[in-house]
Amino acid sequence: MLRICALFVLLMAGTAAADPAGKIRVVDADTWDVGGARVRLFGVDAPEQDQHCTRQDGRDWACGAWATEQVRTLYQGRRAACREVNVDRYGRIVARCEVEGADVGRELVTRGLALAYRRYSMDYDLDEKSAHVARRGLHAAQVQAPSDFRATKRSAATPQPLPEGSDCRIKGNISSKGVRIYHVPGQENYNATRISPSKGERWFCSEEAARAAGWRRAKR
């Protein structure tokens, strides 16, 4: 009988761990500790803490830190109930979460604090489109998809080689919003920027040539 009771307790503990519930501690906009369990919110992707965006007037904006602080103001210390979808490669529980019966993922996307992560779910596609039309939150600026930002950071340690037989070192990149930006050696994002000729991106031999072709210099 004792063995049966012990097994029941273990099974219940496993269920609790798989479906976290409890007080929220915001790690970043889409990653929370819920009742002590690390949770990655399902179906949404928010800017990374160190990610920057570009405002419409060209000013740099630390949008990742901003999104985290906005989410922290909204949810820190409140209670969430989550349902596990799966576990990611970092050991985080990927889950749908609710606060006072409201879908947190939908709330974040609707407010423009995160983007719909269409690679994994189309649940919030229309919510993002609505936020984009209204220019709410992140949509008031030029925002690189967080997944692209992470991929760029991973590749930063491996500089892209120059085209064979060329000494043209200026990188003409096209952003996810279609903005043409060139990077010169020594700029912060130069090594991380990858040039894909198939997408219309190209190398330039001078800044004058880049500007004449319709590219503008990167801010950083």
Side-chain angles (χ1 to χ4, degrees):
M1 184 67 179
L2 288 175
R3 289 182 179 178
I4 293 174
C5 290
L7 179 59
F8 177 76
V9 169
L10 287 173
L11 289 173
M12 291 300 293
T15 301
D19 291 328
K23 188 173 289 188
I24 298 165
R25 185 180 75 84
V26 175
V27 179
D28 60 32
D30 57 23
T31 304
W32 299 358
D33 286 338
V34 177
R38 183 60 53 91
V39 172
R40 174 64 165 84
L41 298 174
F42 174 75
V44 305
D45 203 14
E48 297 299 310
Q49 285 272 33
D50 59 344
Q51 186 170 345
H52 286 240
C53 302
T54 304
R55 294 190 183 277
Q56 295 300 314
D57 60 5
R59 288 182 297 145
D60 180 74
W61 177 32
C63 57
W66 173 84
T68 294
E69 285 309 309
Q70 292 296 308
V71 172
R72 190 167 283 138
T73 298
L74 285 170
Y75 291 108
Q76 184 90 335
R78 298 175 70 181
R79 298 187 69 82
C82 304
R83 289 181 293 110
E84 179 185 351
V85 176
N86 54 47
V87 176
D88 70 12
R89 58 179 174 170
Y90 303 108
R92 300 175 299 186
I93 298 171
V94 180
R96 301 176 186 271
C97 295
E98 294 185 352
V99 172
E100 296 182 2
D103 182 334
V104 168
R106 176 157 285 115
E107 185 70 14
L108 295 186
V109 174
T110 299
R111 288 174 175 262
L113 302 177
L115 305 181
Y117 208 172
R118 295 180 180 87
R119 176 180 174 184
Y120 296 104
S121 171
M122 293 297 289
D123 287 2
Y124 307 122
D125 175 63
L126 294 179
D127 301 288
E128 183 185 310
K129 289 176 179 174
S130 174
H132 180 75
V133 169
R135 301 177 69 81
R136 284 193 292 269
L138 297 168
H139 300 284
Q142 295 174 10
V143 183
Q144 182 183 26
S147 57
D148 291 343
F149 176 80
R150 292 190 294 271
T152 297
K153 284 187 67 176
R154 287 194 294 270
S155 66
T158 308
Q160 185 175 14
L162 295 175
E164 187 175 354
S166 172
D167 193 37
C168 297
R169 298 176 179 273
I170 296 174
K171 297 179 177 181
N173 175 248
I174 301 176
S175 75
S176 59
K177 299 287 188 179
V179 180
R180 298 185 173 194
I181 301 171
Y182 69 84
H183 302 259
V184 302
Q187 286 192 292
E188 181 177 341
N189 295 319
Y190 179 82
N191 284 344
T193 300
R194 321 304 282 183
I195 299 304
S196 300
S198 62
K199 298 179 181 178
E201 298 175 335
R202 52 183 289 194
W203 297 82
F204 292 99
C205 297
S206 69
E207 291 193 60
E208 291 77 10
R211 288 193 294 269
W215 266 258
R216 68 166 175 80
R217 186 183 174 112
K219 301 293 184 181
R220 298 183 293 126

